[in-house]
Amino acid sequence: METSDRPERRPKITRREFLVAGSAVALAAACAPAAAPSPSPTTAAATKAATAAATTAVSSPGPTLKLGMLLPFTKVYAELGASQKRAAELYLKQAGGKLANRPVTFIFEDEANDPQVGLQKTQKFTEQDQTDLMMGIIATPIAYAIRNAVDSAKFIYIGTNAGGNAMTRDTTDCKPTCKSKYVFRTSFSAWQVSQPLGEWVSKKGDKEFFLCFSNYAFGTESAAAFVEGLAKNGGKETGRVAPPLNNADFVPFVTQIKGQATKNVYSFFSGTDAIGYIRAWNQLGLPAAGYKMYGAGFLTEQDVLKEVKDQANGAITSLFWSVELDNPENKAFRDLYQKEYNLLPDVFAVQMWDGMKALDEALKKTGGNTKDKDALIAALEGVSFKSPRGDFAFDKGTHNVVHDIYIREVKTTGGQTVNTIVDKFGKVTDPGK
């Protein structure tokens, strides 16, 4: 973990003011009489000192930008946190260590998959560390737990994974949580990554699905959104089973799947839970028995595929990105990440990369100013750019990202197991307002 003392913030001359002043000096010099006497040594020294001071004011870096990074470095989602840490550090490295000419210090804290710990670390960022803003959070319950703290502190938080719907929606009495002007999300909502797949499979003719999902807020929201999509074309759920988060043994739950007749199965798991689930699925012979695996894309993300490899072949998932996505930004990102870490990037890295990019672009508009919260919020709302996922922009009403959702199939080619693109839903916006 890195910390640093906050430098004193002093008013500084803007680039525009310096250029205007510099132009005036140059114009005066150009118009001076040719026979004008040389300045005295005292005047020359003063002019030289003033010029040096003005130059320093323009070129010197601003005060250190302190970013609180709340990520999991232990338990079920530890690798997801490591992926986001790598992406944040890589973005800063290629940016020369600065955003809007401000040197950046990351303060990393472990959310520990515990909402109370997450809340304590958030309060540490705001009160003790006095960070400029916060990024991160993988698990939805932690994002829900910290919402009121960041809202009351007027503390900007850019969520880079947790996808609970309520985080960017209006809800009754703000329960379990609700949107805040200080909260932005560069990742997804549960609805965005689940409903389109339900709509897609039912339109294709697969009407009945059994559900198996991690028993916590995001898992239940993901399952509900998938069923909503199924119903658009007359599909329905035939049953469900919900293992606990951070489950040690998936064999009993996969045995229940095999013990019922519906062959199409929608699942939500991520991290080590997804690895354990897919291994149990193969151990019990579900592919040979005709069962078909579908799910929200985290089920077969690159962090999982590098462990299970071709055991996931044939799985159909929905997500806003794939390592195989064919656009210049994705190719450049993949090459840069692979060169730096000798590892294919995953969606978690993309979400943090886009979080850093969105902040970078917004700070350029505010001249690096993070004290004027309304100005920074307006700058973030107006951010749009080409991302490894495609076009990136925020919904100004909710601060949730708007992006394409891809239907993907897992295939192993040339020794690499990846998600290949099958179909696309363009510009999917979460319906919550």
Side-chain angles (χ1 to χ4, degrees):
M1 181 183 74
E2 301 176 26
T3 59
S4 69
D5 295 329
R6 177 181 293 276
E8 180 185 356
R9 312 214 177 198
R10 300 181 178 89
K12 58 183 181 180
I13 186 170
T14 67
R15 180 174 178 81
R16 177 179 177 83
E17 289 167 341
F18 172 72
L19 292 176
V20 169
S23 297
V25 170
L27 182 59
C31 296
S38 298
S40 68
T42 302
T43 305
T47 302
K48 183 176 181 180
T51 302
T55 302
T56 300
V58 171
S59 61
S60 294
T64 298
L65 179 69
K66 297 174 71 174
L67 299 182
M69 291 283 181
L70 186 56
L71 295 168
F73 298 115
T74 55
K75 302 183 180 178
V76 61
Y77 293 148
E79 174 55 24
L80 281 53
S83 175
Q84 295 217 328
K85 182 176 186 288
R86 287 191 292 265
E89 291 175 336
L90 182 59
Y91 187 94
L92 187 60
K93 180 179 179 179
Q94 62 84 40
K98 299 176 186 177
L99 300 182
N101 202 34
R102 292 180 64 178
V104 176
T105 292
F106 292 129
I107 302 177
F108 291 101
E109 290 287 356
D110 185 4
E111 66 179 38
N113 198 35
D114 185 324
Q116 284 308 306
V117 171
L119 180 57
Q120 291 166 8
K121 297 298 175 66
T122 299
Q123 291 168 336
K124 175 180 176 290
F125 288 151
T126 59
E127 297 167 10
Q128 179 180 326
D129 300 322
Q130 295 191 347
T131 57
D132 290 272
L133 64 152
M134 182 173 81
M135 300 175 69
I137 303 185
I138 296 296
T140 286
I142 297 171
Y144 283 3
I146 63 94
R147 182 269 175 200
N148 288 347
V150 299
D151 186 75
S152 62
K154 298 181 179 180
F155 183 55
I156 292 175
Y157 159 58
I158 300 175
T160 57
N161 187 75
N165 291 326
M167 199 69 186
T168 52
R169 291 184 178 183
D170 285 325
T171 60
T172 304
D173 298 327
C174 203
K175 295 178 181 177
T177 190
C178 58
K179 70 183 183 183
S180 162
K181 67 182 285 186
Y182 301 101
V183 173
F184 288 79
R185 182 156 55 189
T186 65
S187 51
F188 54 88
S189 72
W191 188 93
Q192 284 178 304
V193 297
S194 309
Q195 190 277 345
L197 182 60
E199 184 176 338
W200 186 81
V201 294
S202 59
K203 186 175 181 180
K204 192 166 66 71
D206 295 320
K207 304 290 187 180
E208 295 188 345
F209 276 77
F210 188 82
L211 310 181
C212 184
F213 55 89
S214 193
N215 190 15
Y216 76 111
F218 185 86
T220 56
E221 289 184 13
S222 174
F226 177 76
V227 172
E228 179 187 330
L230 270 182
K232 286 198 72 171
N233 297 298
K236 64 178 183 178
E237 169 193 346
T238 62
R240 61 175 57 191
V241 60
L245 183 65
N246 201 19
N247 183 56
D249 182 10
F250 280 94
V251 169
F253 300 101
V254 177
T255 298
Q256 291 182 57
I257 295 174
K258 195 174 181 181
Q260 55 82 48
T262 303
K263 300 294 187 181
N264 293 320
V265 182
Y266 175 81
S267 304
F268 166 75
F269 298 104
S270 188
T272 57
D273 277 355
I275 294 168
Y277 176 70
I278 292 172
R279 285 175 173 165
W281 180 279
N282 283 270
Q283 179 185 335
L284 294 177
L286 268 70
Y291 289 83
K292 181 76 172 176
M293 183 183 291
Y294 296 83
F298 314 100
L299 179 65
T300 62
E301 246 319 286
Q302 292 304 138
D303 65 302
V304 176
L305 294 182
K306 70 183 176 69
E307 301 297 331
V308 303
K309 299 181 173 60
D310 59 4
Q311 291 183 79
N313 279 352
I316 303 291
T317 62
S318 53
L319 202 58
F320 50 86
W321 177 82
S322 164
V323 75
E324 292 289 282
L325 200 56
D326 186 15
N327 66 56
E329 292 74 23
N330 195 41
K331 184 180 185 304
F333 172 68
R334 172 176 170 164
D335 291 348
L336 185 65
Y337 193 96
Q338 203 163 12
K339 181 179 179 181
E340 184 75 13
Y341 300 116
N342 193 29
L343 184 70
L344 282 175
D346 55 30
V347 74
F348 307 103
V350 172
Q351 292 169 165
M352 178 58 79
W353 182 270
D354 285 349
M356 292 292 292
K357 175 70 171 177
L359 177 60
D360 193 2
E361 293 298 312
L363 288 175
K364 289 175 183 175
K365 296 180 181 180
T366 68
N369 182 359
T370 54
K371 284 192 170 183
D372 186 339
K373 304 300 182 182
D374 288 339
L376 184 53
I377 287 167
L380 281 166
E381 287 177 342
V383 161
S384 64
F385 54 87
K386 295 289 185 182
S387 154
R389 74 180 83 187
D391 292 333
F392 180 99
F394 290 112
D395 179 338
K396 291 184 180 180
T398 65
H399 294 176
N400 189 62
V401 62
V402 179
H403 48 196
D404 297 336
I405 297 295
Y406 302 95
I407 307 299
R408 318 175 311 167
E409 180 177 2
V410 177
K411 292 183 180 180
T412 300
T413 307
Q416 282 194 328
T417 304
V418 296
N419 293 284
T420 60
I421 305 297
V422 175
D423 208 343
K424 182 179 86 170
F425 287 73
K427 299 287 189 298
V428 177
T429 303
D430 186 89
K433 296 295 182 185

